[in-house]
Amino acid sequence: TVTPQQIIIDTDPGIDDAMAIFYALASPELDVIGLTTVFGNAHTTTCTQNALRLLEIAGRPDIPVAEGAHRPLAMDYRGPADFVHGIDGQGNLDLPAPETSAIAQDAAHFIVERVMAAPGRITLCPIGPLTNIALALLLEPRLADNLAGIVLMGGNAFGGGNASPAAEANILNDPDAADIVFGAHCPIVMAGLDVTEATFITGEQLERIGTVDNPRARHAAAILPFYREFNQREAGRDGIYVHDSTVISYLLAPQHYRSVQMPIRVDCGHGVGRGKTWPAIDRHRRGAWERRPDVTILTEVDAPAVVALELGRLGLSR
Ligand code: BDR
Ligand code: CA
């Protein structure tokens, strides 16, 4: 047997975050050693409650949750994406309060402590704004050297944004943090809209989740209709884009993705391009891109293969 890969999921749950967390917990190849929370889809305190509830639903209340930043590094929080995920981040389900609580340590300190205690072992999996990861990198300059890597959902290298014409939501929620993270000298994989908007679960597949009899699938089936309606309005297609779960699919099955290696800078200005992730080809690796590390930017995906993998892990046989 292979030792499972240790991951920390940094999250703003979020309907697709819930799917990604359940997917990771259902995958024996991965050992989720903690969840850290951040604002984004909802306020940080709401996201923390959701993270705790999701672990209870999945039967894993033993996994620690560390609450993170309440606001971006250098701007005000843009506010909840209630039209995407509901005001509670979980499709307006009005869930009961969790029985467990977050640990006393904050997210950045938790990340630093765990990573430094297991050099080269832990992969960070951010699926929300990158504030906690930036704070952890600033707190401990040796953090990047001690990480196995970072596999994140965010950005748009070669296409348009979803939160603005220029930017993807996680990056637009804290561009300064994202620019720090993309400058970290450790293996970084960017699963951005380039691949997440190429991965689609159809309405018919979503309905079948409702037929699966396990607590994770039941919760997923309860929250997904809200997200499905948003996607229907936004994309004009019945189903959902698979954003956050792409991080888990990549960890489990990197062979289903194609990528390029380029450094990334984030537009931290206050003009129309704010939050855009700009890759540079070698000829342009100058100025702001000079001495910036290569990022593995996912560009293509075998979507049917990764959707089948995820639905299988959630309990659907085909
Ligand atoms: C990202 O933004 C959030 O709404 C989702 O949870 C995902 O992390 C997609 O742009
Ligand atoms: Ca998210």
Side-chain angles (χ1 to χ4, degrees):
T1 58
V2 201
T3 322
Q5 187 175 357
Q6 293 188 10
I7 66 171
I8 294 174
I9 302 178
D10 186 73
T11 175
D12 59 336
I15 294 174
D16 63 324
D17 298 74
M19 298 281 285
I21 291 165
F22 287 164
Y23 184 15
L25 293 175
S27 298
E29 301 90 335
L30 303 174
D31 177 11
V32 182
I33 63 164
L35 299 185
T36 52
T37 61
V38 67
F39 62 86
N41 293 325
H43 287 277
T44 304
T45 46
T46 306
C47 291
T48 302
Q49 298 291 97
N50 288 344
L52 293 164
R53 286 185 189 113
L54 292 169
L55 292 174
E56 286 177 0
I57 291 165
R60 292 300 308 277
D62 56 298
I63 296 175
V65 173
E67 182 163 283
H70 286 231
R71 46 160 293 172
L73 295 185
M75 62 188 262
D76 289 331
Y77 171 39
R78 294 170 67 246
D82 51 352
F83 54 102
V84 188
H85 300 271
I87 189 65
D88 64 349
Q90 293 290 289
N92 291 335
L93 278 197
D94 207 9
L95 293 162
E99 279 166 29
T100 48
S101 350
I103 60 172
Q105 200 172 31
D106 69 80
H109 285 88
F110 174 81
I111 290 169
V112 168
E113 189 182 284
R114 290 305 174 100
V115 170
M116 297 310 284
R121 297 276 307 281
I122 297 173
T123 301
L124 300 181
C125 298
I127 54 176
L130 291 163
T131 318
N132 292 332
I133 314 302
L135 287 170
L137 288 164
L138 294 170
L139 203 59
E140 175 49 86
R142 296 167 301 167
L143 187 75
D145 278 343
N146 287 278
L147 279 169
I150 301 174
V151 181
L152 65 90
M153 191 281 135
N156 49 306
F158 303 105
N162 61 356
S164 83
E168 182 277 330
N170 288 339
I171 308 297
L172 190 62
N173 268 324
D174 196 342
D176 303 283
D179 199 46
I180 291 172
V181 172
F182 284 119
H185 288 266
C186 67
I188 301 181
V189 177
M190 169 178 147
L193 300 180
D194 306 276
V195 284
T196 67
E197 287 191 346
T199 313
F200 198 75
I201 301 183
T202 65
E204 188 262 333
Q205 287 170 316
L206 293 178
E207 305 238 318
R208 286 183 13 242
I209 295 177
T211 67
V212 181
D213 190 25
N214 72 50
R216 284 178 280 111
R218 278 198 296 274
H219 183 74
I223 60 179
L224 279 164
F226 195 94
Y227 198 51
R228 180 178 172 184
E229 277 164 37
F230 164 75
N231 275 265
Q232 171 83 56
R233 288 196 305 274
E234 202 72 0
R237 251 170 110 186
D238 183 26
I240 61 165
Y241 290 132
V242 182
H243 295 302
D244 291 343
S245 287
T246 295
V247 165
I248 308 304
S249 288
Y250 177 81
L251 290 173
L252 298 176
Q255 71 275 15
H256 294 321
Y257 294 88
R258 287 214 180 124
S259 61
V260 294
Q261 305 277 327
M262 292 179 195
I264 292 271
R265 290 307 308 247
V266 180
D267 186 337
C268 295
H270 292 269
V272 292
R274 183 168 175 80
K276 162 70 182 167
T277 45
W278 284 109
I281 55 170
D282 274 339
R283 187 160 58 84
H284 288 146
R285 198 188 280 257
R286 304 191 201 119
W289 284 263
E290 207 177 339
R291 283 191 294 276
R292 289 278 287 197
D294 268 329
V295 171
T296 300
I297 304 167
L298 304 187
T299 53
E300 282 177 71
V301 55
D302 179 346
V306 297
V307 168
L309 182 61
E310 174 166 9
L311 294 179
R313 297 295 166 98
L314 288 170
L316 276 179
S317 48
R318 56 157 288 122

